[in-house]
Amino acid sequence: MGETTTTPGRVEELGRIKEQAREGPDPKATERQHTKGKLTAGERIGLLLDKGSFTEVEPLRRHRAVGFGLEAKRPYTDGVVTGWGTVDGRTVFVYAHDFRIFGGALGEAHAQKIHKLMDMALSAGAPLVSLNDGAGARIQEGVSALAGYGGIFRRNTRASGVIPQISVMLGPCAGGAAYSPALTDFVFAVRDISQMFITGPDVVQTVTGEQVTQNELGGADVHGGVSGVAHFVYDDEETCLAEVRYLLSLLPANNRELPPTVRGADPVDRAGDTLLETVPADGNRSYDIRAVIEELVDDGEYMEVHAAWATNLVCALARLDGHVVGIVANQPASMAGVLDIRASEKGARFVQFCDSFNIPLVTLVDVPGFLPGVDQEHDGIIRRGAKLLYAYCNATVPRVSVVLRKAYGGAYIVMDSRSIGADIALAWPTNEIAVMGAEGAAGVVFRREIAAAEDPEAMRRRKIEEYRTELVHPYYAAERGLVDDVIDPRETRSVLCRAIAMLAGKDADLPRRKHGNPPQ
C-alpha cells in the first residue's frame, strides 16, 4: 500500500485495492480457470444473482497464518467471495470459493468469512447458496482449518429447516468438506467439473487396490444416479445456476413465510381429458406418472428432485393455481412403482423439506407394495422404509392424496393414507385399495378350497373374482369413509386446486418436545 495524505488520493488507493481483490493476485489464474471449462467466483455470482444486486462482505480480508511460506502470500478475499444480493428481487446470501486463490482451500480467515455470512443469512431469514469449488482444508494451517469446517457444519445444522440451504458443486469437494453440502437441503452438480468424495482415488487404490477416476468415484452422474447425494445434475454452469434461480423462486425465504404465489393463465377448472388414456385401467400395464403430473400442474411445469435416483418414486415441486406444492408420486414405469429402501429415503427427505418450509403435499398413489427380497430385508427396509411413514405422520402442512390405481398393503398406508393424517383423501374409479391384489389374496384366503376343487384353476379364477367383487371394488374405501370421494380423473386438477386453497389456513401443532427420534 502506498502513502497518501489527501482524501481523493485515499479513495483512489481504495479503488486500486478493490480492483486487485476482484482480479486476484495472479493475472493468469483466470485464464487457467477458463481453460478447465470453469467460471470464476465472480462470474458465477453474476449469473446467480440479479444484475448489479451483489453486495460483498469482507472483500479485503486476509489470513494471518505463518509458516510454509504463507506469510508471503496474503491475497485479498482469502479465496472465498461472500455477500448478498437478490434473485427475482428477493434477498439471497451467497458464498463462492475462488479456486484461483489457494485452490479455494479453506483456512481460518476463509472459514470465518463463511461463518459470518451464514450467521447473517440466519439472522436475516434469507436463503443461503454456496458455490463450491475448493480443494478442502488448507493443509498449511493445520487444525485451524479443520475447526473452520466444524463451524460451518454446526451452522448448517442450526439453519436446517429455518432457511433454505442450497449447495452448488462446481469443482472438487473432498474429505470432510463434502459434509457441508450433505447437510444442506439441495445439492446441484455439473458434469465433468463436479467431484465429491470422502477419500480420493489415490487413497481408494492404496487401501482397496481398486483403480478409479475422480469422475467414476464421485462425479456428477454418480451422485445424481447412484449415491443420491446430488439432487440435480446439469451439463454446464450456466444452466445449473439458472435452475438454482428457478428453485429459489419456488421456495419461501424462511420457515416463517409461505412460498411465493404466482398465478398464471392456466384455468383452475381446466379438464384433464388425456388422463383417461394416460393411466390404463389394467393395473398390469405401465405408464409414466410424469405425464399425469404435467397434466395436473400449472402450465405443465414442475421441477423434479432426484430425477435419476430411486426412479420408482417421483418427487417434484410445482404450482397449482399459483400455489407451490410438493408432489410425491409412485412411478409405474420404474419397478412397477414399488417402494424400496431408496425410494422411501428419497420420499422421506422430500416430505420433511416441504413440511419445514410450509409447502403443501400432493401424493399420487399407484403402488403394488414394498419390494420383496433378501437384500431389502437385510439392508433394513423395515427401519428405512419407516422413514417415509414417519415423515408423513409428522408433517403438519396441508396434505392431499389421490389413489389412481393400485394401493396395496403397508405401502398404501405409508403413501399418505387417511389413517396417517391426510387432510383430503381422494380416489379415481380405477382404484384398487386392498391388503393385496385379488390374485394373491385369493391364493391365501381360499387356498384349501382351490386345492380341493376338481378344477383348481377354474376355482382360483372364481375366487379371485369373488374377492375382487367383495373387497377390491373402487367404492369399498369410500363406503367406509377412508376416502373422501371418488372423482372423475378429468376433474383432478380442479379438485386439487380447491382442496389446497381450502387448506391454506390449516393450523396443526405437534406435541411439545425437543424433537422426535425418527428411524435411521
Side-chain angles (χ1 to χ4, degrees):
M1 271 183 240
E3 292 188 11
T4 181
T5 59
T6 66
T7 299
R10 291 290 177 89
V11 171
E12 184 180 346
E13 180 184 52
L14 172 63
R16 290 196 302 269
I17 291 172
K18 289 204 168 183
E19 181 64 22
Q20 181 182 344
R22 283 191 293 270
E23 294 299 322
D26 183 357
K28 295 184 179 179
T30 299
E31 182 181 341
R32 289 195 295 269
Q33 184 81 343
H34 289 164
T35 300
K36 296 175 184 177
K38 296 161 64 176
L39 300 175
T40 65
E43 290 167 340
R44 289 163 174 166
I45 291 172
L47 288 173
L48 174 67
L49 301 177
D50 297 337
K51 186 176 181 180
S53 70
F54 183 58
T55 298
E56 191 170 354
V57 176
E58 294 194 349
L60 305 184
R61 187 70 180 263
R62 305 165 86 179
H63 73 76
R64 297 175 293 181
V66 296
F68 305 100
L70 282 178
E71 62 272 17
K73 298 179 180 178
R74 299 182 64 235
Y76 293 115
T77 74
D78 201 48
V80 63
V81 180
T82 59
W84 77 87
T86 60
V87 172
D88 297 328
R90 303 165 69 218
T91 300
V92 173
F93 287 80
V94 59
Y95 70 85
H97 298 131
D98 191 343
F99 197 83
R100 302 174 303 169
I101 298 174
F102 297 127
L106 181 139
E108 184 179 25
H110 183 123
Q112 289 174 350
K113 288 182 65 176
I114 296 174
H115 296 169
K116 175 183 283 189
L117 190 84
M118 296 178 78
D119 291 341
M120 291 173 67
L122 191 58
S123 178
L128 174 69
V129 179
S130 62
L131 306 180
N132 298 271
D133 185 6
R138 197 174 298 171
I139 298 172
Q140 301 94 319
E141 295 196 30
V143 71
S144 296
L146 297 180
Y149 275 122
I152 293 173
F153 302 157
R154 179 164 58 89
R155 287 169 173 83
N156 283 139
T157 303
R158 286 180 62 85
S160 180
V162 181
I163 58 172
Q165 299 180 84
I166 298 172
S167 297
V168 188
M169 314 312 297
L170 301 170
C173 186
Y179 282 114
S180 177
L183 289 169
T184 60
D185 298 305
F186 295 106
V187 176
F188 285 71
V190 177
R191 293 183 176 91
D192 299 326
I193 67 171
S194 301
Q195 295 96 29
M196 298 174 68
F197 34 71
I198 298 300
T199 54
D202 293 341
V203 177
V204 170
Q205 184 174 359
T206 299
V207 175
T208 70
E210 298 172 281
Q211 290 188 332
V212 64
T213 67
Q214 288 192 349
N215 276 329
E216 289 170 341
L217 181 63
D221 285 318
V222 168
H223 287 308
V226 180
S227 72
V229 172
H231 300 79
F232 306 97
V233 176
Y234 299 99
D235 290 328
D236 56 79
E237 294 192 43
E238 292 83 358
T239 302
C240 178
L241 293 169
E243 291 299 298
V244 174
R245 286 178 58 92
Y246 179 56
L247 174 60
L248 288 167
S249 75
L250 296 168
L251 305 181
N254 55 64
N255 65 347
R256 302 183 302 277
E257 297 183 6
L258 295 174
T261 298
V262 180
R263 287 190 170 87
D266 198 352
V268 169
D269 58 355
R270 170 174 54 79
D273 294 332
T274 63
L275 294 175
L276 298 181
E277 302 299 327
T278 301
V279 181
D282 182 356
N284 294 319
R285 289 179 58 192
S286 179
Y287 65 94
D288 191 339
I289 193 66
R290 286 174 289 207
V292 176
I293 295 172
E294 287 180 13
E295 186 64 30
L296 296 179
V297 302
D298 291 359
D299 303 311
E301 294 182 359
Y302 63 93
M303 189 172 195
E304 186 173 355
V305 178
H306 271 144
W309 185 66
T311 54
N312 42 323
L313 190 76
V314 172
C315 298
L317 292 167
R319 282 191 167 91
L320 286 170
D321 191 25
H323 299 286
V324 177
V325 296
I327 297 174
V328 181
N330 305 112
Q331 174 57 293
S334 176
M335 299 170 61
V338 296
L339 288 177
D340 63 352
I341 287 171
R342 288 187 171 188
S344 298
E345 293 185 332
K346 171 180 173 178
R349 186 88 196 288
F350 183 73
V351 168
Q352 287 171 178
F353 173 82
C354 291
D355 188 50
S356 294
F357 292 103
N358 309 310
I359 299 173
L361 289 161
V362 173
T363 304
L364 304 178
V365 186
D366 191 347
V367 61
F370 280 94
L371 180 66
V374 174
D375 288 345
Q376 288 286 304
E377 297 293 344
H378 287 186
D379 287 342
I381 184 62
I382 294 174
R383 63 178 174 83
R384 295 164 77 177
K387 292 181 182 182
L388 181 57
L389 177 61
Y390 186 99
Y392 268 125
C393 289
N394 202 49
T396 60
V397 291
R399 292 156 50 187
V400 182
S401 66
V402 185
V403 178
L404 310 187
R405 289 195 315 187
K406 299 183 297 295
Y408 294 159
Y412 153 67
I413 300 173
V414 169
M415 289 296 293
D416 206 19
S417 62
R418 163 52 62 80
S419 61
I420 67 168
D423 297 296
I424 299 292
L426 305 167
W428 285 4
T430 47
N431 83 81
E432 295 182 5
I433 303 174
V435 175
M436 63 176 66
E439 291 82 1
V444 173
V445 176
F446 306 111
R447 182 178 65 254
R448 292 181 180 177
E449 295 175 57
I450 293 173
E454 292 185 9
D455 187 344
E457 181 57 28
M459 177 64 75
R460 188 183 74 85
R461 290 195 300 270
R462 188 159 59 249
K463 291 301 182 182
I464 288 173
E465 186 57 33
E466 179 182 336
Y467 184 86
R468 181 177 286 117
T469 301
E470 291 295 323
L471 294 177
V472 192
H473 65 78
Y475 308 103
Y476 186 87
E479 291 170 359
R480 285 153 181 80
L482 299 175
V483 169
D484 291 300
D485 196 9
V486 178
I487 63 173
D488 184 332
R490 294 170 294 186
E491 299 175 357
T492 306
R493 170 176 163 79
S494 62
V495 173
L496 288 176
C497 288
R498 291 197 299 271
I500 294 298
M502 178 273 293
L503 292 165
K506 178 183 176 182
D507 184 15
D509 292 323
L510 292 171
R512 183 176 179 181
R513 58 185 174 186
K514 187 174 182 180
H515 55 73
N517 186 25
Q520 298 296 323

